[in-house]
Amino acid sequence: MSIEKHDLLHEFPDHHHTIRHLKMNDNHFAKLFNKYNELDKEVRRIEEGVENTTDDYLDTKKLERVQLKDELYGLIKKTEATI
């Protein structure tokens, strides 16, 4: 079974320059970016069967990932609007 990638560069390929800029110049964005990547890795490990957990736990982690992605996307769009 192939697990879908959810890393930000894969999710937002048209915004890779902005993502890179924000990672290097915005500490808040960088922290959220790292937290998002850690959550994504955890979810993927669970989905791949490397780690076992409950469905409720997995659903909670997926929801956290979506919320973080939304927040990160908002920061990306806000930055692009000012350029």
Side-chain angles (χ1 to χ4, degrees), residues 45-73:
R45 289 178 58 83
I46 293 168
E47 290 177 334
E48 291 169 349
V50 175
E51 295 181 21
N52 293 321
T53 188
T54 65
D55 289 342
D56 287 340
Y57 180 83
L58 178 58
D59 290 343
T60 299
K61 292 303 173 183
K62 285 182 175 182
L63 180 60
E64 286 178 32
R65 181 176 65 182
V66 167
Q67 291 170 337
L68 266 176
K69 182 167 55 173
D70 288 346
E71 186 174 353
L72 288 161
Y73 185 70

Side-chain angles (χ1 to χ4, degrees), residues 30-44:
K31 279 184 183 179
L32 294 177
F33 180 87
N34 290 335
K35 185 175 180 180
Y36 177 86
N37 283 334
E38 290 302 316
L39 268 173
D40 187 50
K41 285 179 190 175
E42 182 178 7
V43 168
R44 290 187 72 203

